[in-house]
Amino acid sequence: MNYSNLLKKIPLKEYDSFLNSNLSTNFSDFWINVTDNALSFLISVLSERTKKSLFVLTPYPEQSLFLHQHLTKWLDDSIKVLRFPEINISPFDVSKTDVLSSLNRAGILANIKNKNQKSIVLSSTLAASEKTMNLELSESNDHLKLKKGQILSLSDFTKKLVKLGYDIFPYVLEPGNIAIRGSIVDVFPSNLKNPIRVEFFDNQIESIRNFDVNTQISIEIIKEAFIFSRFEAPPALIDEKLLDKKLSKCDFSNCDMSTLEHYQSDFAKIISGQLSYKEYFKYGGFFNDNSIFDYIDSDYLLILLRPSEIENACKQVFSRFLEIKSRKEKEGEIPLKYPDNRLSWNEIEEKLKTHKRKVVISPRFPTNKKDRIFEKINSKVIPINYDVNLNDPLNSVREKISSEMNSSVILLIVTLNYARVLEALKGMEYQIDEEKSQSKNIPSFKQGSITLKEDYLREGFEIRISKEKTLKVLTDYELFGVKRKTTIIEEKRNKKKLDFNLLMPDSYVVHQKHGIGKFLKITKVKNQGDREFLEIEYASQDRIFLPVDEIYQIEKYLGPSHPQPKLTRLGGNH
């Protein structure tokens, strides 16, 4: 659910005027002053009102997380909101891994290169300073382009996917998985929302479809697909000459012979593609020599949030990195002159300078105003209603709304207490537009009107959108003095996750209703279209066909394997 209708319907002529004039002039920096409460709204306006995609750099991870959560509320699906994640492990530590973050980073870099949709990319300084795959190498080696009718053998296709870091499983469940069944290859690309199913006829691609990962049912036929590398540094992107060059510069005088031999062994495995991916993190500085800044070209408008805090955050991160590196060198765990896998502030500053036009959002303007344009957005924090009368809370809410409302205001109320606020609005002289969570009605957002929306925002704001009009957003925080603690969690699937071992042919399973059976294969059933089923054998060679999307009804048999378990008789007790 989002508020994109508001951005489209309210008049923002003055915003359009200064954006069009200032973003088209030859300037260095365009500085904007706005309160933090209105930040996600302003960035949404910039995205809607410009033709460019946006790259937003924040000082800390919490800010990029917050913006990601709130920007998706202001924008519709025509604009992708992507967050470039941090690698959450200590430098040079191979005992811990963060494969999921690396997978997500690779997917976002793929989306940036693909340029098939307008987007907003959010990144903290911590995430952006972590080096990533070489752009020049990745442009030629990190993806596969597929088209219907393309001449490509199934074997070559599979080998290329493995080289790009994909793993073969009996069944596709999450990004990075491949499943091969006869002439059909299912693959879940790191850069796509849904997995795709590629069907071959001899050495030619006969069809490409995307499908739902839970139901396994096809969504639509697609003409072409781009499959990008699963991780930031798959074997296909390793430059052997660059690797040898960096290794030759290392000084192993602080290490014992076993450490040197360990490095030589690991590098041989890297070149041959045999090193496990979790160990790649330790050697990131050897083959990751670019950053996300190298991927952000002139098609992107660069937005810096609080540049002085970005600088301080970057210096703190790099100082901590050097401290760990120095300790590891002294202990002989890594050689001297070990290549850095993180950018210093000076390096980031130089990369930022290559962008001729930047939008800087800051509470303070710099004293040096050369080649800079300044625009103070008239925005305010709305006072909180601390005087809620517990004996008559509706009247307190009504009084708060009345105090914020007049004929020049466009008021949006976002609340989880929808019925209570609606009751408080009864009898007010202003036009009231209701928009419940499942409603398809588009409010008018007219001057002097109130729109009530059933949803959650952490806090509201007030922002002047013209000389005569003001937009105000009220939330439960301003109305009731209550701010919910919010956390951003990974989206979870409704169904139980598949156990890959469960789908091995001839393995035993236990059905909630039918008992012990033997899984045979995944197959299709006549008159059921593209839907796939698990074929499970029971006693007397009876069989059931369980839809793949109902796999939560079975689990892996955990009893003794010798002697073999006795299959249950369908309709009986044995």
Side-chain angles (χ1 to χ4, degrees), residues 386-397:
Y386 286 120
D387 301 322
V388 178
N389 185 343
L390 297 180
N391 295 321
D392 191 3
L394 290 182
N395 188 56
S396 297
V397 171

PDB file of all heavy atoms in Angstrom, residues 386-397:
ATOM      1  N   TYR A 386       0.140  15.687  23.455  1.00  0.00           N
ATOM      2  CA  TYR A 386       0.401  15.075  24.756  1.00  0.00           C
ATOM      3  C   TYR A 386      -0.791  15.212  25.713  1.00  0.00           C
ATOM      4  O   TYR A 386      -0.805  14.616  26.784  1.00  0.00           O
ATOM      5  CB  TYR A 386       1.629  15.715  25.410  1.00  0.00           C
ATOM      6  CG  TYR A 386       2.935  15.296  24.772  1.00  0.00           C
ATOM      7  CD1 TYR A 386       3.784  16.234  24.196  1.00  0.00           C
ATOM      8  CD2 TYR A 386       3.341  13.966  24.757  1.00  0.00           C
ATOM      9  CE1 TYR A 386       4.990  15.856  23.617  1.00  0.00           C
ATOM     10  CE2 TYR A 386       4.543  13.574  24.182  1.00  0.00           C
ATOM     11  CZ  TYR A 386       5.352  14.530  23.621  1.00  0.00           C
ATOM     12  OH  TYR A 386       6.546  14.145  23.054  1.00  0.00           O
ATOM     13  N   ASP A 387      -1.770  16.032  25.326  1.00  0.00           N
ATOM     14  CA  ASP A 387      -2.887  16.328  26.224  1.00  0.00           C
ATOM     15  C   ASP A 387      -4.137  15.514  25.895  1.00  0.00           C
ATOM     16  O   ASP A 387      -5.250  16.031  25.869  1.00  0.00           O
ATOM     17  CB  ASP A 387      -3.214  17.829  26.162  1.00  0.00           C
ATOM     18  CG  ASP A 387      -2.026  18.681  26.554  1.00  0.00           C
ATOM     19  OD1 ASP A 387      -1.306  18.271  27.482  1.00  0.00           O
ATOM     20  OD2 ASP A 387      -1.815  19.744  25.936  1.00  0.00           O
ATOM     21  N   VAL A 388      -3.944  14.231  25.591  1.00  0.00           N
ATOM     22  CA  VAL A 388      -5.089  13.377  25.301  1.00  0.00           C
ATOM     23  C   VAL A 388      -5.888  13.155  26.579  1.00  0.00           C
ATOM     24  O   VAL A 388      -5.366  12.683  27.591  1.00  0.00           O
ATOM     25  CB  VAL A 388      -4.641  12.019  24.727  1.00  0.00           C
ATOM     26  CG1 VAL A 388      -5.851  11.117  24.483  1.00  0.00           C
ATOM     27  CG2 VAL A 388      -3.860  12.219  23.437  1.00  0.00           C
ATOM     28  N   ASN A 389      -7.170  13.533  26.535  1.00  0.00           N
ATOM     29  CA  ASN A 389      -8.072  13.345  27.676  1.00  0.00           C
ATOM     30  C   ASN A 389      -8.548  11.893  27.676  1.00  0.00           C
ATOM     31  O   ASN A 389      -9.312  11.481  26.810  1.00  0.00           O
ATOM     32  CB  ASN A 389      -9.259  14.304  27.563  1.00  0.00           C
ATOM     33  CG  ASN A 389     -10.164  14.253  28.784  1.00  0.00           C
ATOM     34  OD1 ASN A 389     -10.116  13.313  29.571  1.00  0.00           O
ATOM     35  ND2 ASN A 389     -10.985  15.283  28.950  1.00  0.00           N
ATOM     36  N   LEU A 390      -8.104  11.121  28.649  1.00  0.00           N
ATOM     37  CA  LEU A 390      -8.447   9.699  28.685  1.00  0.00           C
ATOM     38  C   LEU A 390      -9.934   9.479  28.886  1.00  0.00           C
ATOM     39  O   LEU A 390     -10.468   8.429  28.527  1.00  0.00           O
ATOM     40  CB  LEU A 390      -7.656   8.998  29.789  1.00  0.00           C
ATOM     41  CG  LEU A 390      -6.121   9.008  29.618  1.00  0.00           C
ATOM     42  CD1 LEU A 390      -5.449   8.289  30.773  1.00  0.00           C
ATOM     43  CD2 LEU A 390      -5.719   8.368  28.290  1.00  0.00           C
ATOM     44  N   ASN A 391     -10.620  10.458  29.461  1.00  0.00           N
ATOM     45  CA  ASN A 391     -12.068  10.339  29.649  1.00  0.00           C
ATOM     46  C   ASN A 391     -12.832  10.630  28.360  1.00  0.00           C
ATOM     47  O   ASN A 391     -13.959  10.168  28.186  1.00  0.00           O
ATOM     48  CB  ASN A 391     -12.541  11.293  30.750  1.00  0.00           C
ATOM     49  CG  ASN A 391     -11.960  10.912  32.109  1.00  0.00           C
ATOM     50  OD1 ASN A 391     -11.859   9.729  32.436  1.00  0.00           O
ATOM     51  ND2 ASN A 391     -11.562  11.925  32.887  1.00  0.00           N
ATOM     52  N   ASP A 392     -12.209  11.404  27.474  1.00  0.00           N
ATOM     53  CA  ASP A 392     -12.854  11.733  26.196  1.00  0.00           C
ATOM     54  C   ASP A 392     -11.783  11.840  25.106  1.00  0.00           C
ATOM     55  O   ASP A 392     -11.519  12.915  24.576  1.00  0.00           O
ATOM     56  CB  ASP A 392     -13.628  13.049  26.321  1.00  0.00           C
ATOM     57  CG  ASP A 392     -14.528  13.312  25.113  1.00  0.00           C
ATOM     58  OD1 ASP A 392     -14.579  12.428  24.224  1.00  0.00           O
ATOM     59  OD2 ASP A 392     -15.159  14.381  25.061  1.00  0.00           O
ATOM     60  N   PRO A 393     -11.141  10.694  24.745  1.00  0.00           N
ATOM     61  CA  PRO A 393     -10.025  10.735  23.791  1.00  0.00           C
ATOM     62  C   PRO A 393     -10.447  11.200  22.401  1.00  0.00           C
ATOM     63  O   PRO A 393      -9.664  11.837  21.703  1.00  0.00           O
ATOM     64  CB  PRO A 393      -9.528   9.292  23.769  1.00  0.00           C
ATOM     65  CG  PRO A 393     -10.685   8.465  24.235  1.00  0.00           C
ATOM     66  CD  PRO A 393     -11.409   9.324  25.216  1.00  0.00           C
ATOM     67  N   LEU A 394     -11.681  10.899  21.993  1.00  0.00           N
ATOM     68  CA  LEU A 394     -12.120  11.305  20.659  1.00  0.00           C
ATOM     69  C   LEU A 394     -12.164  12.822  20.530  1.00  0.00           C
ATOM     70  O   LEU A 394     -11.796  13.377  19.495  1.00  0.00           O
ATOM     71  CB  LEU A 394     -13.493  10.712  20.348  1.00  0.00           C
ATOM     72  CG  LEU A 394     -13.549   9.196  20.119  1.00  0.00           C
ATOM     73  CD1 LEU A 394     -14.969   8.764  19.767  1.00  0.00           C
ATOM     74  CD2 LEU A 394     -12.586   8.769  19.016  1.00  0.00           C
ATOM     75  N   ASN A 395     -12.605  13.483  21.578  1.00  0.00           N
ATOM     76  CA  ASN A 395     -12.648  14.943  21.534  1.00  0.00           C
ATOM     77  C   ASN A 395     -11.244  15.525  21.465  1.00  0.00           C
ATOM     78  O   ASN A 395     -11.005  16.521  20.773  1.00  0.00           O
ATOM     79  CB  ASN A 395     -13.384  15.479  22.763  1.00  0.00           C
ATOM     80  CG  ASN A 395     -13.623  16.976  22.661  1.00  0.00           C
ATOM     81  OD1 ASN A 395     -14.222  17.463  21.694  1.00  0.00           O
ATOM     82  ND2 ASN A 395     -13.122  17.715  23.643  1.00  0.00           N
ATOM     83  N   SER A 396     -10.281  14.903  22.162  1.00  0.00           N
ATOM     84  CA  SER A 396      -8.885  15.365  22.111  1.00  0.00           C
ATOM     85  C   SER A 396      -8.329  15.231  20.699  1.00  0.00           C
ATOM     86  O   SER A 396      -7.628  16.117  20.208  1.00  0.00           O
ATOM     87  CB  SER A 396      -8.024  14.557  23.089  1.00  0.00           C
ATOM     88  OG  SER A 396      -8.432  14.750  24.415  1.00  0.00           O
ATOM     89  N   VAL A 397      -8.637  14.109  20.044  1.00  0.00           N
ATOM     90  CA  VAL A 397      -8.180  13.899  18.670  1.00  0.00           C
ATOM     91  C   VAL A 397      -8.838  14.911  17.743  1.00  0.00           C
ATOM     92  O   VAL A 397      -8.187  15.494  16.860  1.00  0.00           O
ATOM     93  CB  VAL A 397      -8.492  12.456  18.212  1.00  0.00           C
ATOM     94  CG1 VAL A 397      -8.213  12.294  16.722  1.00  0.00           C
ATOM     95  CG2 VAL A 397      -7.666  11.463  19.007  1.00  0.00           C
TER      96      VAL A 397
END
